[in-house]
Amino acid sequence: MAESTASQIIDAIGGAGNVKSLTHCATRLRFELVDGGKVDQNRLQHMKGVLGAVPQAGDRYQVVIGGAVASMYEEIMHLPEMANAGGAAKAANNGKMTDAEVKAAERAKARGKVAWLDSFFEYLADSFRPILGVLLGASIIIALVNLFISLGVIAGDEDNTSLMFIKAIWKGVFYFLPIMVAYNASKKLKVDPWLGGSIMAMLMTPQFAALSDAKTWGNAVSCVENATLGTTDCTATVFGLPMQLSDYSGNVFVPLMMAAVLGLVYHGLKKIIPDSVQLVFVPFFAMIIVGVLTAFIIGPLGVWVGNGLGVVLAWMNGHAPFVFAIAIPMLYPFLVPLGLHWPLNALMLMNIQSLGYDFIQGPMGVWNFACFGATAGVLFISIRDHDKEMRQTSIGALAAGLLGGVSEPSLYGIHLRYKMVYKRMLIGCGVGGVVIAVLGWLFPSVVASGETVRGVTTTAFAFTSLLTIPVFNQMWVYGVSIAVAFAVSMFLIITLDYRTPEQKAELQERLAQEKADRELEAQAASAPAASPAAAPAAATATAVAEAPAAAATATDTVNAPVAGHVISLDDTGDPVFASRALGEGVGIQPTDSTVVAPISGVLQTVAETGHAFGIKSDDGVEVLVHVGIDTVKMNGEGFSVAVAAGQRVNAGDTLVTVDFDKVKAAGYSTTTLMTVLNTVALAGVTPKTGIDVAAGDPVLDIQH
């Protein structure tokens, strides 16, 4: 039997033992938790019946349900495991663990013994997961370009303007990747994400790049050639201090480091700067402090680490090529997610220019195909288990890998999200590395100069994909090595799986629930017009006895429920409403105390506290009026309700009279929010913002 949505919510919130208290308003479940870190937000956001999940400060959490929140609250409170919620976590007098504690213990086991390592991988995954789509899109473009060049459809030279334009499309993603990563990493650390993105963007401006122009600045800039890597390092004197200048495009290690420092500075500033001026002075000081630290210390440190690795690998290939051929596939899975592999690209190009060949790309290809093999194993399992979401992700990532040689979609979309993948994939990297080391030693390459070189070489700089196999000298050695790496990784993923037992159980529960929902919808669609008794239980629980209504007329506008200034939902300060999880709408900063019905219809919901009202028009438009933000905590004080649930009202009828001075005195925002809950079912909902209105003036246009 499928687990109910109520049970799934409690399990995802960290179990009943993690719940200190639970209340609800007109649309949201409001949890106060023992440990907010136990929440599985990804599961909540993909859960049937949940519109959104929003973490709050102080281990508080909000789960957006919508109009059925009251019935969901009742279902949760009647769960057997909730009998001990907020109390001791042991069964009565016998010292045994409750069901919630057992689940919590299992989750703790699944996270692994090294908690900081799990947190680190989560930080990486959440920094890249939101941009997976654009990474996949850009990678497919790369794959197609390589394919068309290899087939002779388009010319591969730099004088081809069409090719240069196409390159600009995908290079825009990878060039500005540091800004995107900084945005997501900052958001993960509960820092204003635009602040993180802005600081990283500073290092990519033309003004910053111009600092390395010695002709302009004279003695203020000095540049030194790096003979090992074939690159130029410039240093400028700024404020009397030396600043190393680097090209940060495509570098993700620096923004990850910067965001971590920004998190410390940002939250520290919020503790010492008064709330009334935080909006201005927290970003002001953070940009100055972290911007300077990034330019002088964090950025150069990230580049130094990458360059240092390049120097070490160059030495290793010259003195221990056999070890080098194994080390490269084993190191790359850790270098690529941090962006530390970019300096090696310069080393590859320098090898081709100075030696006439490169020795790094062969072993690098082994890592790439081990990565793609792991993705292929995930694809096999997703097809077998009917996991549509993972199937789509793995198909795109595998296509980008095999055709374009791009590993980032696989890493950021799958491997870093499921830590078991790395354990399987590294074995494939190791076995493939041993194969290319042994075969490369037994069957050395003969380069253009006639020199015999131990290992696989290439005279071209290319993404290691199926299409670029012919560019390698000793092609058969390279082909066997990547095939072994691919096959071993894929086999291990298929046989041992890439998920923990808990993750597999969660998938099965979700699939079972989706199947049950589909069957219920099919039954409802095929059944004749049903009586209320025949309606689904969830709908029956929230049904309201409506009074007889007149013939339905189209609701083309929704009026202001209160006089005041109209603002966008983005400016209301409530993240749930701003996310549009409850539909499109507006916020009104009230200048009057009377709140009226914005449309004619039946009151589906009337909160006991008087702060929220749900109205459904005769033609099916569902409107929510939410008076103030977090005013549910006032428990009705200052609210004089004039209506009741189930009552029919006309536009302009008084719903509630509010003492907004009392609301302000209690420390809550008076902004009254209004949304169209079923926005997705309509052709369009257009807000009118930035205007002053009287109660009854139109503020939303409805398109059917």
Side-chain angles (χ1 to χ4, degrees):
M1 184 176 179
E3 188 179 18
S4 69
T5 302
S7 295
Q8 292 181 57
I9 290 174
I10 291 301
D11 196 29
I13 211 75
N18 195 35
V19 179
K20 280 187 178 179
S21 66
L22 171 61
T23 59
H24 74 88
C25 62
T27 57
R28 291 172 259 181
L29 297 170
R30 296 169 176 267
F31 289 90
E32 184 177 354
L33 305 174
V34 176
D35 182 4
K38 292 182 178 180
V39 177
D40 187 344
Q41 182 160 350
N42 183 58
R43 183 183 175 193
L44 280 170
Q45 290 176 331
H46 290 84
M47 194 175 291
K48 185 77 171 180
V50 174
L51 301 178
V54 183
Q56 305 283 296
D59 287 321
R60 291 181 292 116
Y61 211 91
Q62 295 184 7
V63 178
V64 186
I65 301 297
V69 67
S71 59
M72 182 61 70
Y73 172 82
E74 291 298 327
E75 287 183 41
I76 289 175
M77 295 308 294
H78 283 90
L79 291 172
E81 59 264 38
M82 287 298 290
N84 293 325
K90 300 292 180 182
N93 300 320
N94 60 10
K96 293 182 179 179
M97 296 178 71
T98 63
D99 178 61
E101 280 194 307
V102 172
K103 292 181 180 179
E106 290 305 311
R107 277 191 293 274
K109 292 178 183 177
R111 282 185 58 82
K113 297 180 180 180
V114 187
W116 68 266
L117 187 60
D118 286 324
S119 298
F120 175 70
F121 272 89
E122 289 173 7
Y123 176 59
L124 289 180
D126 289 342
S127 296
F128 291 98
R129 186 183 294 114
I131 54 177
L132 174 61
V134 294
L135 286 172
L136 284 171
S139 301
I140 294 298
I141 295 174
I142 296 173
L144 291 175
V145 168
N146 286 341
L147 176 61
F148 290 151
I149 290 176
S150 65
L151 294 176
V153 176
I154 59 176
D157 56 82
E158 295 296 322
D159 296 330
N160 184 342
T161 56
S162 299
L163 177 61
M164 293 302 292
F165 172 73
I166 295 173
K167 281 187 174 182
I169 297 176
W170 66 262
K171 280 194 173 183
V173 175
F174 291 100
Y175 184 90
F176 292 107
L177 188 61
I179 299 176
M180 304 181 201
V181 172
Y183 179 97
N184 292 327
S186 301
K187 189 174 182 180
K188 172 67 176 176
L189 299 176
K190 298 180 181 179
V191 172
D192 180 359
W194 292 109
L195 184 57
S198 298
I199 293 173
M200 197 62 221
M202 173 194 75
L203 302 180
M204 304 178 70
T205 59
Q207 289 76 15
F208 186 85
L211 290 175
S212 61
D213 186 357
K215 293 181 180 178
T216 301
W217 307 109
N219 294 333
V221 176
S222 61
C223 298
V224 178
E225 293 287 334
N226 186 319
T228 303
L229 295 177
T231 58
T232 301
D233 298 324
C234 294
T235 302
T237 301
V238 181
F239 301 125
L241 299 173
M243 177 192 295
Q244 180 179 316
L245 305 173
S246 302
D247 179 8
Y248 293 104
S249 60
N251 190 308
V252 296
F253 187 45
V254 172
L256 287 170
M257 292 170 56
M258 181 276 295
V261 174
L262 177 61
L264 296 174
V265 173
Y266 182 86
H267 293 296
L269 290 172
K270 292 193 74 173
K271 291 180 180 179
I272 61 176
I273 296 178
D275 293 348
S276 58
V277 293
Q278 282 186 3
L279 179 63
V280 175
F281 287 103
V282 169
F284 169 71
F285 285 113
M287 290 177 72
I288 293 176
I289 296 171
V290 181
V292 170
L293 287 175
T294 303
F296 279 95
I297 300 175
I298 299 173
L301 179 61
V303 174
W304 293 339
V305 172
N307 288 346
L309 284 170
V311 172
V312 170
L313 292 176
W315 178 90
M316 185 182 295
N317 183 68
H319 294 79
F322 189 91
V323 176
F324 175 83
I326 299 174
I328 285 289
M330 297 297 290
L331 284 174
Y332 254 83
F334 302 99
L335 300 181
V336 175
L338 296 174
L340 294 178
H341 63 301
W342 293 108
L344 297 182
N345 291 343
L347 184 57
M348 296 173 194
L349 291 170
M350 190 204 71
N351 288 336
I352 294 172
Q353 292 169 359
S354 60
L355 302 175
Y357 63 89
D358 173 56
F359 49 81
I360 300 176
Q361 293 178 75
M364 184 187 73
V366 171
W367 125 255
N368 258 5
F369 277 87
C371 172
F372 306 150
T375 302
V378 172
L379 174 59
F380 178 90
I381 291 176
S382 68
I383 294 173
R384 183 193 66 193
D385 293 352
H386 307 288
D387 186 350
K388 294 181 180 179
E389 180 181 342
M390 187 52 66
R391 183 173 70 229
Q392 292 175 357
T393 300
S394 52
I395 287 176
L398 190 59
L402 293 180
L403 298 179
V406 182
S407 59
E408 282 84 352
S410 291
L411 280 173
Y412 304 141
I414 304 171
H415 300 183
L416 293 174
R417 293 170 61 185
Y418 300 92
K419 62 181 182 180
M420 303 300 290
V421 173
Y422 260 63
K423 296 181 179 180
R424 323 303 189 213
M425 180 179 66
L426 284 173
I427 297 175
C429 291
V431 174
V434 170
V435 171
I436 198 170
V438 172
L439 294 181
W441 184 268
L442 295 176
F443 303 95
S445 301
V446 178
V447 297
S449 63
E451 179 187 359
T452 300
V453 178
R454 301 286 183 184
V456 174
T457 62
T458 178
T459 59
F461 180 79
F463 288 92
T464 49
S465 68
L466 290 175
L467 304 178
T468 58
I469 292 177
V471 307
F472 288 93
N473 195 3
Q474 292 294 63
M475 183 175 66
W476 75 270
V477 172
Y478 176 73
V480 169
S481 303
I482 62 175
V484 169
F486 185 95
V488 170
S489 293
M490 182 176 179
F491 174 77
L492 290 174
I493 291 290
I494 292 175
T495 54
L496 301 179
D497 211 296
Y498 65 98
R499 302 157 298 184
T500 63
E502 182 190 34
Q503 289 169 336
K504 289 190 285 185
E506 288 176 357
L507 172 64
Q508 294 305 317
E509 290 175 2
R510 177 164 61 85
L511 294 177
Q513 184 63 46
E514 290 175 357
K515 180 180 179 181
D517 292 339
R518 288 194 300 270
E519 292 175 350
L520 189 60
E521 291 172 1
Q523 292 173 5
S526 61
S531 64
T540 303
T542 59
V544 177
E546 297 189 7
T553 56
T555 302
D556 297 322
T557 60
V558 179
N559 301 329
V562 66
H565 183 70
V566 185
I567 61 176
S568 167
L569 291 179
D570 296 319
D571 301 323
T572 60
D574 189 304
V576 174
F577 280 94
S579 71
R580 273 61 174 188
L582 297 171
E584 182 61 87
V586 296
I588 300 177
Q589 298 167 333
T591 57
D592 193 9
S593 61
T594 302
V595 180
V596 303
I599 59 171
S600 298
V602 175
L603 285 161
Q604 303 280 83
T605 305
V606 175
E608 293 180 2
T609 55
H611 76 289
F613 304 83
I615 308 173
K616 185 176 182 179
S617 69
D618 295 334
D619 61 332
V621 177
E622 300 175 17
V623 176
L624 170 68
V625 178
H626 196 286
V627 184
I629 298 175
D630 285 337
T631 45
V632 63
K633 298 175 183 178
M634 296 187 68
N635 296 317
E637 189 175 352
F639 291 75
S640 179
V641 181
V643 291
Q647 178 181 331
R648 184 172 188 80
V649 293
N650 294 318
D653 287 351
T654 299
L655 298 176
V656 63
T657 302
V658 186
D659 186 345
F660 283 116
D661 289 335
K662 186 170 288 187
V663 173
K664 293 177 183 177
Y668 301 113
S669 171
T670 61
T671 300
T672 297
L673 305 110
M674 181 175 68
T675 64
V676 178
L677 293 171
N678 60 335
T679 294
V680 294
L682 301 170
V685 176
T686 306
K688 301 177 180 179
T689 58
I691 58 175
D692 295 318
V693 296
D697 290 348
V699 291
L700 293 173
D701 289 332
I702 306 296
Q703 294 85 44
H704 293 272

